[in-house]
């Protein structure tokens, strides 16, 4: 008799934009928390040697033994991985694989050895444990980001209107197209979302119109994350903005973004 097994499909979503300061890390942190609040099993992965995501979870990188840095080195050297309890930290409802500065060493080795699938090999076996795996990346389109794109099902692009980075957005989407052709046919751009939106300026409206005109073929999320100092203060306290102030408008916006992600991705 055919068995009806309900299978939840894990999505690996990479937060990417080669521009620094557009809220990749803040969005990974708060989207991870929001999705977990909605009952999803979530793993956040710090794949940036700057370790900001790790810090935003209240973890001091110097105190962690295993990290994306050590795990990537083991992958590159074909060494067996340690037990997953040794590298997955449980922080409230969200699990985290932290990072260390030494991830830059792994990046150089990935480049020299042309290894694009180290992160994919680490995360694929973890798919059965989670509904969403969110990967934070650094401000470059180097080997680490290429590894992240190779592991991804979807890529979410935070866009900060104030920084006017339309040219960068074109470079990013062109790079993703190349990854799709050559390395990872399943990868899709989940969507672009606006961060650090200020109500005071007309700049946001103008830029938003330009993004819609140039990238209207891509999904653009309805939820916009407003600019508020609470996001930065939550990060520095190791909290999500919802835990700091659930009524804050950025907290509400991230919950709405999570609802859209659940509906779309
Ligand atoms: P990235 O990871 O893309 O470099 P971060 O998430 O580290 O970006 O954010 C860059 C800076 O912007 C940080 O100082 C952060 O506190 C701040 N920031 C992020 N989101 C917001 C927001 N909604 N409003 C105001 N400041 C924000
Ligand atoms: Mg960051």
């Amino acid at each position: 008799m055919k068995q009806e097994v309900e299978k939840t499909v894990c999505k690996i979503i990479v937060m990417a934009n080669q521009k620094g300061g557009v809220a990749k890390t803040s969005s990974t942190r708060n989207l991870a928390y929001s999705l977990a609040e909605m009952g999803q099993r979530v793993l956040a992965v710090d794949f940036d040697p700057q370790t900001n995501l790790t810090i935003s979870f209240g973890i001091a990188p110097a105190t962690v033994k295993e990290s994306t840095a050590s795990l990537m080195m083991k992958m590159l050297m074909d060494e067996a991985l340690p037990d997953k309890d040794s590298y997955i930290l449980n922080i409230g409802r969200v699990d985290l694989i932290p990072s260390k500065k030494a991830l830059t060493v792994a990046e150089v080795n990935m480049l020299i050895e042309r290894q694009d699938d180290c992160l994919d090999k680490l995360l694929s076996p973890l798919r059965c444990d989670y509904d969403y795996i969110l990967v934070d990346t650094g401000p470059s389109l180097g080997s680490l980001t290429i590894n992240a794109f190779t592991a991804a099902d979807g890529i979410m692009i935070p866009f900060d209107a104030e920084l006017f980075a339309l040219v960068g957005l074109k470079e990013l989407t062109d790079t993703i197209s190349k990854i799709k052709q050559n390395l990872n046919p399943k990868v899709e751009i989940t969507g672009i979302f606006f961060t650090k939106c200020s109500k005071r300026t007309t700049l946001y409206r103008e830029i938003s119109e330009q993004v819609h005109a140039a990238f209207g073929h891509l999904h653009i999320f309805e939820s916009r994350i407003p600019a508020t100092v609470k996001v930065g203060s939550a990060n520095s306290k190791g909290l999500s903005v919802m835990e700091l102030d659930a009524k804050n408008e950025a907290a509400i916006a991230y919950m709405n973004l999570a609802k859209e992600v659940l509906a779309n991705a």
Side-chain angles (χ1 to χ4, degrees):
M1 205 174 87
K2 198 179 147 211
Q3 266 194 319
E4 294 283 339
V5 180
E6 197 185 315
K7 194 175 168 295
T8 50
V9 181
C10 172
K11 289 267 182 192
I12 298 179
I13 297 183
V14 169
M15 203 65 74
N17 188 328
Q18 73 276 28
K19 193 123 187 124
V22 299
K24 289 181 289 297
T25 302
S26 305
S27 299
T28 309
R29 174 68 177 97
N30 289 297
L31 189 61
Y33 183 88
S34 303
L35 286 167
E37 275 287 293
M38 290 173 187
Q40 303 297 301
R41 296 168 303 162
V42 183
L43 172 68
V45 179
D46 192 347
F47 211 51
D48 181 357
Q50 292 182 71
T51 71
N52 291 338
L53 185 69
T54 303
I55 295 163
S56 81
F57 275 95
I59 303 294
T63 64
V64 300
K65 193 167 164 282
E66 299 290 353
S67 65
T68 47
S70 61
L71 297 168
M72 288 302 103
M73 286 312 291
K74 288 186 172 81
M75 284 292 174
L76 284 157
M77 291 152 91
D78 272 334
E79 281 178 21
L81 290 185
D83 191 78
K84 53 188 176 187
D85 290 345
S86 73
Y87 58 85
I88 297 181
L89 310 178
N90 311 115
I91 299 156
R93 291 189 185 172
V94 179
D95 285 356
L96 170 74
I97 306 183
S99 168
K100 276 185 180 265
K101 281 201 186 74
L103 189 56
T104 51
V105 180
E107 178 165 36
V108 172
N109 283 277
M110 283 167 178
L111 184 68
I112 294 167
E113 296 182 27
R114 296 175 183 227
Q115 295 274 356
D116 308 309
D117 59 354
C118 298
L119 186 64
D120 187 40
K121 284 192 205 148
L122 173 69
L123 298 184
S124 286
L126 301 176
R127 281 181 181 269
C128 51
D129 298 333
Y130 297 99
D131 300 307
Y132 287 94
I133 299 178
L134 302 184
V135 181
D136 186 29
T137 62
S140 88
L141 290 174
S143 303
L144 291 172
T145 304
I146 303 301
N147 259 263
F149 289 169
T150 303
D153 299 305
I155 297 170
M156 285 181 67
I157 305 175
F159 188 86
D160 177 355
E162 302 277 336
L163 294 178
F164 195 79
L166 275 173
V167 177
L169 202 51
K170 177 82 171 67
E171 286 165 8
L172 176 58
T173 54
D174 286 351
T175 304
I176 296 167
S177 298
K178 282 185 197 139
I179 300 282
K180 191 172 172 68
Q181 279 165 25
N182 297 300
L183 293 168
N184 179 7
K186 72 179 183 308
V187 71
E188 300 288 349
I189 296 177
T190 308
I192 300 171
F193 63 103
F194 293 97
T195 59
K196 298 160 94 173
C197 297
S198 160
K199 285 186 202 133
R200 281 171 290 125
T201 61
T202 52
L203 174 75
Y204 166 69
R205 193 161 34 86
E206 286 167 19
I207 301 288
S208 166
E209 279 165 11
Q210 289 178 27
V211 171
H212 275 85
F215 297 95
H217 57 291
L218 299 176
H219 179 71
I220 300 175
F221 286 94
E222 299 275 329
S223 308
R224 296 161 189 167
I225 314 301
T228 156
V229 289
K230 287 274 171 91
V231 172
S233 59
N235 285 344
S236 64
K237 291 182 168 75
L239 295 171
S240 65
V241 66
M242 301 80 189
E243 290 164 291
L244 187 69
D245 178 2
K247 293 199 177 84
N248 179 271
E249 49 185 356
I252 294 164
Y254 274 119
M255 289 299 276
N256 286 334
L257 183 67
K259 280 184 204 151
E260 283 191 68
V261 169
L262 270 177
N264 287 303

